[in-house]
């Protein structure tokens, strides 16, 4: 079974702190994604990566950065956390192999509270 | 991005079939129809996808209208574990280069299953 794990299920941080959210997948997938999920707004794509050291902005990249130094790991960084970044953060991965590339696998999510 | 329209909520009884509708009147010829579901306190999980023909897998069936402007996810015998938010998503066919195959989640349908 594909497994996508996220470093924390729950996180509480203070305004202005630097926050790291880590995501690891064990299926050698090329593509990895970070979403945030908010009531009434659904899931929105923050950043994605299609290869090591490669990244592309999603729909709402402002206030975030990402890092992908190894294929299996994709980190989301909040340089200076703000209260409007309180949200559920979901990581996902997807293969590029034809026949397997239609499915995104999601992690369990990290619920971040910024005080 | 082409949009989908789903009912906000539906209810079912255990062991009865459930038909979850989705309208996508602006679908393009190369959009795949994907269904994901999100159980409480979990990340979304893939259910099924199709392009033109009806599809079956161990979880569900997907019935696609001949004009592709609508589709229906069919759970043949609902169980309590099927209670979730069901998302109908149009995914553009993977392009060359940055083939990230973005998923745009709407609000989905909240399915309640009664014992």
């Amino acid at each position: 079974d594909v497994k996508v794990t996220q470093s924390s299920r729950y996180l509480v941080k203070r305004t202005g702190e630097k926050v790291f959210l880590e995501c690891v997948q064990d299926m050698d997938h090329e593509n990895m994604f970070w979403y945030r999920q908010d009531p009434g707004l659904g899931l929105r794509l923050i950043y994605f990566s299609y290869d090591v050291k490669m990244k592309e902005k999603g729909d709402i990249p402002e206030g975030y950065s990402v890092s992908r130094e190894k294929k299996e790991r994709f980190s989301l960084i909040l340089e200076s956390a703000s209260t409007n970044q309180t949200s559920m953060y979901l990581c996902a991965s997807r293969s590029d192999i034809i026949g397997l590339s239609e499915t995104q696998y999601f992690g369990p999510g990290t619920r971040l509270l910024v005080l | 991005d082409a949009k989908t329209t789903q009912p906000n909520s539906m209810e079912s009884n255990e062991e009865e079939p459930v038909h979850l509708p989705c309208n996508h009147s602006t679908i393009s010829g190369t959009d795949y129809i994907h269904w994901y579901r999100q159980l409480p306190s979990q990340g979304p999980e893939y259910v099924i996808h199709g392009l033109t023909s009806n599809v079956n897998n161990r979880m569900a069936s997907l019935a696609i209208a001949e004009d592709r402007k609508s589709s229906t996810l069919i759970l043949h015998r609902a169980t309590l574990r099927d209670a979730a938010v069901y998302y109908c998503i149009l995914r553009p066919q993977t392009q060359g280069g940055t083939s990230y195959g973005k998923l745009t989640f709407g609000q989905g349908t909240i399915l309640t299953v009664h014992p």
Side-chain angles (χ1 to χ4, degrees):
Chain A
D1 269 358
V2 174
K3 206 157 186 191
V4 179
T5 56
Q6 296 182 229
S7 50
S8 307
R9 289 303 302 270
Y10 301 94
L11 212 50
V12 181
K13 295 292 182 181
R14 297 215 173 268
T15 302
E17 278 192 76
K18 191 168 186 175
V19 182
F20 291 88
L21 302 182
E22 304 284 338
C23 175
V24 177
Q25 50 95 2
D26 66 358
M27 280 299 290
D28 202 37
H29 285 172
E30 291 77 14
N31 305 285
M32 296 188 74
F33 308 81
W34 275 106
Y35 295 85
R36 63 178 281 177
Q37 184 173 27
D38 302 287
L41 295 175
L43 275 81
R44 293 177 291 168
L45 182 64
I46 305 171
Y47 265 99
F48 67 97
S49 168
Y50 53 92
D51 202 351
V52 174
K53 296 193 188 296
M54 307 305 287
K55 60 187 179 185
E56 292 284 339
K57 293 179 180 178
D59 297 321
I60 51 162
E62 296 79 19
Y64 303 94
S65 61
V66 290
S67 172
R68 190 151 179 220
E69 296 296 317
K70 293 186 177 181
K71 192 174 185 180
E72 67 270 19
R73 188 179 298 269
F74 192 33
S75 302
L76 181 69
I77 303 152
L78 287 65
E79 296 289 343
S80 177
S82 63
T83 54
N84 62 14
Q85 292 178 310
T86 291
S87 185
M88 168 72 92
Y89 289 89
L90 290 155
C91 175
S93 73
R94 184 177 65 82
S95 172
D96 261 349
I97 297 172
I98 294 172
L100 301 176
S101 60
E102 289 303 318
T103 305
Q104 276 195 23
Y105 296 88
F106 284 83
T110 295
R111 193 168 291 281
L112 172 66
L113 173 62
V114 182
L115 299 173
Chain B
D1 291 344
K3 285 193 68 172
T4 62
T5 305
Q6 299 176 251
N8 289 334
S9 61
M10 291 186 65
E11 297 187 18
S12 174
N13 294 317
E14 208 174 2
E15 300 197 2
E16 288 184 357
V18 182
H19 290 235
L20 295 161
C22 181
N23 287 319
H24 30 78
S25 58
T26 60
I27 191 171
S28 79
T30 55
D31 285 343
Y32 282 87
I33 301 160
H34 283 242
W35 284 82
Y36 280 72
R37 71 180 185 181
Q38 188 171 19
L39 280 66
S41 301
Q42 294 188 29
E45 65 173 342
Y46 167 84
V47 177
I48 201 166
H49 78 279
L51 185 62
T52 55
S53 305
N54 294 344
V55 185
N56 300 295
N57 67 20
R58 63 175 180 81
M59 289 180 73
S61 296
L62 177 60
I64 301 173
E66 205 168 318
D67 64 3
R68 298 202 340 117
K69 293 182 186 292
S70 66
S71 61
T72 303
L73 180 71
I74 303 164
L75 308 179
H76 295 284
R77 289 182 68 197
T79 70
L80 296 178
R81 288 177 296 175
D82 291 323
V85 180
Y86 286 79
Y87 297 99
C88 170
I89 301 161
L90 300 183
R91 205 201 96 169
Q93 195 170 35
T94 301
Q95 306 271 329
T98 55
S99 58
Y100 66 94
K102 174 183 167 182
L103 295 179
T104 302
F105 285 76
Q107 297 305 305
T109 297
I110 300 170
L111 175 65
T112 302
V113 180
H114 299 289

